Amino acid sequence: MANPEKAAAVAELKEQFAASSAAVLTEYRGLSVAQLKQLRRALGEEAEYAVVKNTLAGIAAQEAGIDAFEGQLNGPSAIAFVSGDPVAVAKSLRDFAKENPELIVKSGYMDGAALDEAAIKTLADLESREVLLAKVAGAAQASLSKAAALFQAPLSKTVRTAEALRAKVEEAGEAA
């Protein structure tokens, strides 16, 4: 790699890999420039979608310690470097691929683990972070309500027993 332009491109890709929480490799064969713009808009600020040269991307991934793309970098390739929520990016890619079957999601990388196409589809099927947090909060609140009722049960049982005993004593006093 004697060419300084290629060295700079590898360094830039390596930096993007390091700065990203996840990366998704796609093949965009057959998509027009307008469709690629539409995809970039769909990804929004969550990710940067970059068309890459396969050899340079492979070298940059290897230098960044990412082996998820080995053997996958062939054909016209582009990588979505995720800086935001990986689930939102996976959903955007899935939705765009439904409308434009030319876009093929090949593989990905997230939190030190390689993701295959099925794992990315599973990630896309997850509910949003806010919904998952709301479900956890609801489950925690339900558990706390159950615990409060459980702690309150002996006290209410004692009160009912004392009331029954008082009523029995009153009844016995009237009978005598």
Side-chain angles (χ1 to χ4, degrees), residues 33-176:
V33 173
Q35 289 171 318
L36 287 175
K37 280 184 178 180
Q38 183 182 2
L39 175 58
R40 286 186 174 103
R41 271 186 297 225
L43 293 174
E45 295 181 14
E46 299 286 331
E48 181 182 336
Y49 192 71
V51 174
V52 295
K53 292 190 182 228
N54 295 332
T55 307
L56 300 181
I59 293 169
Q62 209 170 33
E63 287 182 7
I66 298 171
D67 59 353
F69 303 134
E70 285 184 26
Q72 298 282 328
L73 290 163
N74 46 31
S77 300
I79 300 175
F81 294 100
V82 182
S83 58
D85 184 16
V87 174
V89 172
K91 285 180 189 224
S92 296
L93 287 170
R94 177 198 60 196
D95 295 343
F96 188 84
K98 281 182 184 177
E99 295 173 13
N100 303 284
E102 298 89 10
L103 180 72
I104 300 170
V105 176
K106 290 183 169 182
S107 62
Y109 169 82
M110 183 175 81
D111 295 332
L115 303 172
D116 60 357
E117 183 181 356
I120 294 170
K121 285 182 181 178
T122 303
L123 192 64
D125 292 337
L126 284 177
E127 293 174 333
S128 70
R129 183 177 189 272
E130 292 78 19
V131 171
L132 292 174
L133 288 174
K135 284 185 176 184
V136 168
Q141 184 178 10
S143 297
L144 289 175
S145 296
K146 286 180 185 178
L150 184 67
F151 291 137
Q152 197 173 18
L155 293 174
S156 60
K157 186 175 181 181
T158 303
V159 169
R160 284 192 308 270
T161 305
E163 184 61 30
L165 184 60
R166 185 192 60 75
K168 192 173 186 181
V169 168
E170 281 181 8
E171 224 176 78
E174 289 176 5

